[in-house]
Amino acid sequence: MKKSIISVLLTLVMVLGLSPAIKAETLTLNGTKAYKYSLEEGIYMMDLTANANTTAQFYTSKKEAKKGYGITGIGDSYINGRAHTKKQVAFTVDEKGTYYLSLSTESSHVQVDVNVYKADVGGKLTNGQPLLGTSNADNKTIAYYQYKMKKDGYVSLSVDGINDLSSNVIVCDETKKAMHYWAYGYTDSRSLGAIALKKGTYYFAVKSYDPVYNITATATSRKITGGLKKKKAKTIKKKKTYKGMVALNGSTSWYKYKLTKTKALSMSFTGTSFYGGSAGGMNITVYKGKQKLGTQTFMENTQSATQSYVISHGKTYGKADAGTYYIKITNYKKGCGIYQFSLN
């Protein structure tokens, strides 16, 4: 088929932030007018804002585009512009060529802002900057987005589809090898938070039912604060807060404290885990010397974000005998996360 194979794929909703537009202009419209676009093969998104009711349609010929109403377009959008409403439509160009955008209104001197963006099947992410992405509208293409962690820390990742359809994400190492299995599907504005990672290069692999989505990765620095081995455990004190993280690509933090006499002792633990539930989270294990006293598993989506644990190893429940205690915080299954805790 010739260029008539442009097809509208999505309904029209708001998307937050975009890559730079390949074409952006403000037009003053009276009646119907056609505008020329030279487009490469790929998936695009166009957003329009008008201050009066306006119809937008794509055509393959200028003659048809000038007719406007009454002609079947290759994709159309009715803009209710009473409140300068923004509408967005995604469409596929299967063949490089020239296309014509027809804008029609029954009002006079209508101002229309037109922005056209091309979606990327993968690419490089800049911290905090959205990138318009696509999985080619079939949920079969895996789009890989490279992201560089300049320091140890955690990433909040969002994939906002303009049609509110589900997407799946997997975090990969620098060779694109999966570091855990596919995350659950999620919809617009759902953020995968606290993906704790060591300094390095990673890829976020995306499969989406939403052909056009906005992907944003924002990193926050966080150190692995405890000792990497038991004999290197960091000494801690009561009533002081300690922050750390458990990296997805594996990390263990050891802490220790000494009691000179028997006393009541508990630990308050707050965290954010990825990926929670049965897939994993963080384990907190307490030892007295070489003896393991017990393990608590932190999974954010199955329990409250703050957990209090009673450290008991004495004649009376809730009291700890004098001695040296160790706290080990590490990955549970394929999970990771950030945390802070204090002894009370």
Side-chain angles (χ1 to χ4, degrees), residues 125 145-153 155 171-175 179 196-204 219 245 247 249:
L125 294 175
Y145 298 93
Q146 185 189 85
Y147 186 71
K148 292 186 177 182
M149 292 287 293
K150 295 182 179 180
K151 298 179 179 179
D152 292 349
V155 176
V171 184
C172 304
D173 63 17
E174 61 182 353
T175 67
M179 296 168 64
L197 298 167
K198 298 175 183 176
K199 178 182 177 181
T201 299
Y202 301 90
Y203 287 88
F204 299 119
M245 78 170 197
N249 39 340

Side-chain angles (χ1 to χ4, degrees), residues 64-322:
E64 289 181 343
K66 284 185 175 181
K67 294 179 182 179
Y69 291 116
I71 302 296
T72 301
I74 303 167
D76 58 82
S77 168
Y78 183 72
I79 305 172
N80 183 347
R82 288 174 296 177
H84 290 268
T85 304
K86 177 183 284 189
K87 297 287 187 178
Q88 297 180 315
V89 61
F91 57 91
T92 300
V93 174
D94 291 325
E95 184 178 341
K96 177 181 177 180
T98 300
Y99 300 90
Y100 297 90
L101 170 66
S102 173
L103 296 178
S104 299
T105 182
E106 295 179 346
S107 303
S108 299
H109 303 291
V110 176
Q111 181 175 307
V112 184
D113 295 318
V114 181
N115 298 277
V116 178
Y117 308 87
K118 191 173 188 296
D120 296 313
V121 184
K124 293 183 178 181
L125 294 175
T126 300
N127 189 53
Q129 297 298 315
L131 179 67
L132 188 68
T134 178
S135 297
N136 276 347
D138 55 12
N139 193 42
K140 295 179 181 179
T141 300
I142 300 177
Y144 290 91
Y145 298 93
Q146 185 189 85
Y147 186 71
K148 292 186 177 182
M149 292 287 293
K150 295 182 179 180
K151 298 179 179 179
D152 292 349
Y154 60 97
V155 176
S156 176
L157 180 73
S158 65
V159 181
D160 297 330
I162 73 168
N163 201 34
D164 246 354
L165 299 178
S166 64
S167 300
N168 293 280
V169 178
I170 191 168
V171 184
C172 304
D173 63 17
E174 61 182 353
T175 67
K176 297 184 180 179
K177 180 180 179 181
M179 296 168 64
H180 70 94
Y181 54 83
W182 287 103
Y184 46 81
Y186 61 97
T187 56
D188 184 42
S189 298
R190 181 71 176 272
S191 177
L192 298 176
I195 307 174
L197 298 167
K198 298 175 183 176
K199 178 182 177 181
T201 299
Y202 301 90
Y203 287 88
F204 299 119
V206 180
K207 290 176 68 177
S208 179
Y209 287 100
D210 220 328
V212 178
Y213 48 80
N214 217 24
I215 178 169
T216 310
T218 305
T220 303
S221 298
R222 177 68 71 98
K223 294 181 180 179
I224 300 172
T225 52
L228 299 180
K229 297 181 180 179
K230 188 176 181 180
K231 62 181 180 181
K232 298 289 186 178
K234 179 178 180 178
T235 300
I236 58 176
K237 300 178 180 179
K238 286 185 63 177
K239 297 182 179 181
K240 185 175 180 179
T241 300
Y242 296 90
K243 296 182 179 181
M245 78 170 197
V246 176
L248 183 62
N249 39 340
S251 66
T252 298
S253 290
W254 286 89
Y255 303 90
K256 71 176 181 179
Y257 54 93
K258 293 183 179 180
L259 296 180
T260 56
K261 61 181 179 179
T262 299
K263 62 175 63 178
L265 189 65
S266 65
M267 177 172 62
S268 176
F269 185 93
T270 302
T272 302
S273 63
F274 171 87
Y275 168 57
S278 60
M282 295 176 282
N283 268 347
I284 305 102
T285 304
V286 178
Y287 297 82
K288 183 184 181 188
K290 296 181 179 180
Q291 183 182 2
K292 180 179 177 180
L293 300 183
T295 297
Q296 295 282 352
T297 299
F298 182 90
M299 299 177 293
E300 183 189 4
N301 66 341
T302 60
Q303 60 190 16
S304 62
T306 301
Q307 294 293 306
S308 293
Y309 306 115
V310 175
I311 299 171
S312 180
H313 192 60
K315 296 179 180 179
T316 304
Y317 177 77
K319 290 188 177 182
D321 290 337

